[in-house]
Amino acid sequence: MKNNKLLILALTASILSGCVKQVKDAFDETTEALTCANRVQEFEDTNEANPDRSCTAIIADIDDLERTCRDYLSESTKQSFANLRAACSAN
């Protein structure tokens, strides 16, 4: 009887531990996605506030965002980055 209780307790602890890990992972991913969204917004705000910003600075920011936020960038953001790169290449 005592062994059954220990087995049930160990099984319950294992299940709860797995659930906590899943919640933590989901929280971490959500936090990362929000951080990236804020960084993209800051990039756009910076470019809007400084229309004469150098292509070197713009490309450096795009490279950094693509490297660190690749999994969270929308297709429209990726397209916007491609357009900015093309505009810089044309200059």
Side-chain angles (χ1 to χ4, degrees):
M1 189 70 123
K2 190 173 186 179
N3 286 340
N4 285 345
K5 287 182 181 179
L6 287 175
L7 180 63
I8 290 171
L9 181 61
L11 184 60
T12 302
S14 175
I15 290 170
L16 287 176
S17 175
C19 290
V20 167
K21 183 182 179 333
Q22 288 177 344
V23 169
K24 181 191 177 307
D25 290 348
F27 178 78
D28 290 346
E29 188 169 327
T30 300
T31 301
E32 220 174 297
L34 287 172
T35 298
C36 286
N38 287 335
R39 289 186 62 210
V40 168
Q41 186 61 54
E42 287 172 11
F43 169 75
E44 291 173 354
D45 292 346
T46 299
N47 288 340
E48 262 185 45
N50 303 299
D52 295 328
R53 194 161 181 244
S54 75
C55 280
T56 304
I58 292 171
I59 299 299
D61 285 349
I62 289 172
D63 288 345
D64 182 51
L65 285 166
E66 288 177 336
R67 184 178 59 257
T68 58
C69 296
R70 174 185 351 258
D71 296 337
Y72 305 106
L73 298 175
S74 68
E75 288 304 314
S76 63
T77 299
K78 291 177 185 177
Q79 185 59 51
S80 175
F81 287 174
N83 293 343
L84 285 170
R85 279 185 198 278
C88 281
S89 296
N91 291 336

